Amino acid sequence: MGNRFICMKKKDVIVRTSGGDGSRSKRLNRSQRKSIGDEEMLHRRALSLAIHQAQLSQRFDGSMSRRVGSTSSRRRSLSDPFSNNKQVSDFLESLTVKKFILVHGEGFGAWCWYKTIASLEESGLSPVTVDLAGSGFNMTDTNSIYTLEEYSKPLIELLQNLPLEEKVILVGHSTGGACVSYALEKFPEKISKAIFICATMVSDGQRPFDVFADELGSAERFMKESQFLIYGNGEDKPATGFMFEKQHMKSLYFNQSPNKDIALSMISMRPVPLGPMMEKLSLSGERYGRGRRFYVQTLDDLALSPDVQEKLVRENSPEGVFKIKGSDHCPFFSKPQSLHKIFLEIAQIS
């Protein structure tokens, strides 16, 4: 891994039960019971919103490591700055950027971040989510989205409307990484740091789809043979989108996620516009190259294998790399606490 050292607590790498982000004893104290109750309430709220969305859109079918310039491989623990109010205050005062913009990946929507939103808010930070075009509650017809510019429009408008001097930490999951790269090229002055979570962190001239070539085959082969393509404008016209079957999605994306989050995803995920995934990005060293990029690898990922993620890191040289053992392609479901710690760690990097 080069110049990186491990910053992983032992409890973050042991095998977890599917019901949470760590083993729990049968006897829970009051704060633990409250935390579990809060999470259940958030999940019920997200599930309710997802059901409402499904009713509105019947036309749709359904181990961390960080490079810091040292060759040391010594272990250290992630600090928890929230054991008392003074530490919370000191932590927040030390941060120059407190706003996180969370960008979902293919098929998902802002709803997938519900655990992350709660944990960041509890830490005194300001999470903002966005539905990309044709995703979540954005009712743009997927079949009418042909370019990355069109797909990213809600994110670009959000960044355009930020106060002049305000900066954000921009987070992208999976193919949402392409939207983050696109935003870095357009607004390098507004983005303090960019975090790619098992994401398509591509080079200049690459397509987001190219990242998945090892799993799905070449783009040309996928377009010719895939059973998952959608022909929204007629079978005699080019494909407009794709969506995996539910059982296929479960095995690819959610092999470590709790059942309730899988259920939420099964009624909420929407088709993915194909055009933006096949578009080559134009990224310049003067703009995109100015960005501070961090990558989060998911080591039990069946959608984007750890080997492919490692290749992305080698070819694109982010400033820092973190790894989460025991996470599938959706760490916001399978390892939310570990993901939260990484966010806090990156927020504190000066």
Side-chain angles (χ1 to χ4, degrees), residues 37 42 51 78 83 96 112 114-115 136 192 199 206 223 277 307:
L42 281 165
I51 292 171
L78 286 170
S83 57
T96 57
C112 72
Y114 77 94
K115 293 179 181 179
S192 170
Q206 275 191 311
M223 295 292 288
M277 300 304 103
D307 288 343

Side-chain angles (χ1 to χ4, degrees), residues 108 130 166 176 214 242 256 281 286 312 318 345:
F108 293 88
V130 60
E166 184 172 8
D214 287 349
F242 70 93
Q256 301 290 333
L281 272 72
E286 295 76 22
L312 286 174
E345 182 83 353

